[in-house]
Every structure is written in structure tokens, then in C-alpha cells.
Amino acid sequence: MRASLGRIEVEPTYIAFAVSEALTWEFHARGDRISLTSLRDGQTLASEIVEVNARREALDQALTTDIWEVNPRGEHVGGYTTFTVTGGSFPYRGRIELVPRDMTRGEGRLFNPAGPLAEPGSLKHALGGSGPARC
């Protein structure tokens, strides 16, 4: 039996790994369902991050995503994420609100409803990083 390329669809899931001096990161992403014909014709495969996890071996700490409701909208991003940090001196949970801003103009900020605006990269701080982090 021979299938038509237009009827065969893929819906990819990705895991990308990153390593820094102190941290290892996992970025989980999911792609939209698309037909092989559309890919052959040059349509791009859109994907979005659905989970971010990190580990800091020196402190035996792990950060895991509990909820990831981050929604890119064109040039803007908004939503929230909740996370849990285990190990180290004290385990804790947190929530980060992403205020929709134009990310191409450097207006993106992380908002913590319990405190002031946090600098981008504050997840690194949550795992015991030192100094400001750049994302």
C-alpha cells in the first residue's frame, strides 16, 4: 500500500541540552503537526518550548518545571511558569510571570508578584548562580 505524502503528518518533540560552567539545562519543545508535503514545499516547522529543567551538581540542586504556560505572540511573549528547586540548602517552589513586552526591543522583563521586577536569567540565580545572568 502506498501512502500519499499529503496524508502523512509528523508532530515532533525535541529535547535540547545546554551546559554551562555550573549548570546543565534541558529545553523540551514540541512542534506543530504538519504534513510531509508541506515540509517538502518549504513550510517551516514551528515549535515552542514546553518545559525547562536545570541541574547544579556542585550543590546537588535540581530545578524542574511544574507548569509552563508561556505563550509567544509574534514579537511578544507572556504567561507564567512555576518551578520547584530540590536539594541544596533549602528546597523551594516559585512562579515567574512574564509581562508581555516587545522582546525585539529589549523590553522583556520577568515579574515576581511577591517582589520587584527580576532580571532576565533569574532562574540561574535560583540555582545559586552568582552575578547577573544573561539569557
Side-chain angles (χ1 to χ4, degrees):
M1 178 177 207
R2 193 169 173 207
S4 165
L5 286 180
R7 294 177 57 139
I8 299 173
E9 295 180 329
V10 294
E11 190 172 1
T13 301
Y14 310 94
I15 301 177
F17 298 94
V19 177
S20 68
E21 186 177 311
L23 301 170
T24 57
W25 296 86
E26 292 178 7
F27 299 90
H28 297 249
R30 189 172 300 130
D32 293 337
R33 184 178 298 235
I34 188 170
S35 73
L36 292 182
T37 299
S38 296
L39 288 173
R40 181 197 66 200
D41 293 344
Q43 185 173 339
T44 58
L45 184 61
S47 64
E48 66 177 300
I49 295 174
V50 295
E51 181 177 344
V52 177
N53 301 316
R55 180 140 185 84
R56 186 175 175 113
E57 291 292 333
L59 299 177
D60 193 30
Q61 284 182 307
L63 179 145
T64 54
T65 300
D66 299 319
I67 299 172
W68 185 272
E69 289 294 330
V70 177
N71 307 303
R73 293 177 218 124
E75 304 290 327
H76 299 80
V77 64
Y80 72 96
T81 182
T82 63
F83 61 92
T84 300
V85 175
T86 56
S89 300
F90 61 94
Y92 60 95
R93 298 179 70 148
R95 176 181 170 116
I96 297 174
E97 295 281 336
L98 298 165
V99 178
R101 304 283 185 183
D102 187 341
M103 299 302 281
T104 63
R105 295 189 351 214
E107 295 177 354
R109 294 189 182 104
L110 300 177
F111 175 70
N112 177 349
L117 292 175
E119 291 295 319
S122 63
L123 290 180
K124 182 176 178 183
H125 261 316
L127 288 174
S130 60
R134 302 287 175 231
C135 293

